[in-house]
């Protein structure tokens, strides 16, 4: 039977053609919500960035008048939401974020 023999080469080619057509047609961004793909900690960092310009700039390494500072950016664990949200003492101060807002977001 066909089920036991598995897909044929023609089946695989047909699926590849279908996938290529879907990719070429593009994807709609209207139904994409970044919040759905974030962890709870990621959602807190996203909301922190949205509500606080200081935090957004700090997480981007731009806390000193909008000037990029590699030394400060390197020390801020902006790619690791847990370290920011849980306020790792030797790291979070390098992010120059609004700690009061962060704590309020964690309580919400």
């Amino acid at each position: 039977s066909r089920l036991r023999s598995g897909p044929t080469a023609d089946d695989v080619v047909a699926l590849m053609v279908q996938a290529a057509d879907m990719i070429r047609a593009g994807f709609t961004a209207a139904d994409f919500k970044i919040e759905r793909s974030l962890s709870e900690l990621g959602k807190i960092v996203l909301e922190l960035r949205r509500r606080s310009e200081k935090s957004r700039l700090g997480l981007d390494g731009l806390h000193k008048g909008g000037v990029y500072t590699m030394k400060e950016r390197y020390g801020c664990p902006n790619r690791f939401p847990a370290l920011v949200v849980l306020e790792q003492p030797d790291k979070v101060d390098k992010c120059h974020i609004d700690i009061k807002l962060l704590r309020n977001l964690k309580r919400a």
Side-chain angles (χ1 to χ4, degrees):
S1 84
R2 183 134 193 234
L3 183 60
R4 288 187 197 161
S5 65
T8 66
D10 289 338
D11 294 333
V12 173
V13 169
L15 285 173
M16 296 291 284
V17 168
Q18 182 182 4
D21 289 343
M22 290 171 71
I23 291 168
R24 285 189 195 108
F27 300 95
T28 60
D31 63 345
F32 177 75
K33 301 277 188 219
I34 193 166
E35 294 86 355
R36 288 189 291 203
S37 65
L38 295 175
S39 68
E40 291 303 313
L41 298 176
K43 290 175 185 175
I44 291 172
V45 172
L46 178 64
E47 195 60 30
L48 180 67
R49 291 177 62 90
R50 286 180 172 168
R51 291 190 192 184
S52 168
E53 182 74 2
K54 173 187 176 184
S55 298
R56 186 185 65 76
L57 292 173
L59 289 167
D60 287 344
L62 300 169
H63 71 282
K64 294 183 179 177
V67 176
Y68 182 82
T69 308
M70 180 61 180
K71 181 179 177 184
E72 295 292 337
R73 167 90 165 154
Y74 179 75
C76 174
N78 59 341
R79 295 181 310 150
F80 303 98
L83 298 181
V84 174
V85 174
L86 301 176
E87 302 178 43
Q88 182 174 340
D90 62 332
K91 298 288 186 186
V92 77
D93 60 325
K94 293 180 174 84
C95 294
H96 305 279
I97 59 175
D98 184 339
I99 295 292
K100 184 177 178 181
L101 175 60
L102 173 62
R103 290 176 181 162
N104 287 337
L105 291 170
K106 289 192 289 187
R107 282 188 208 108

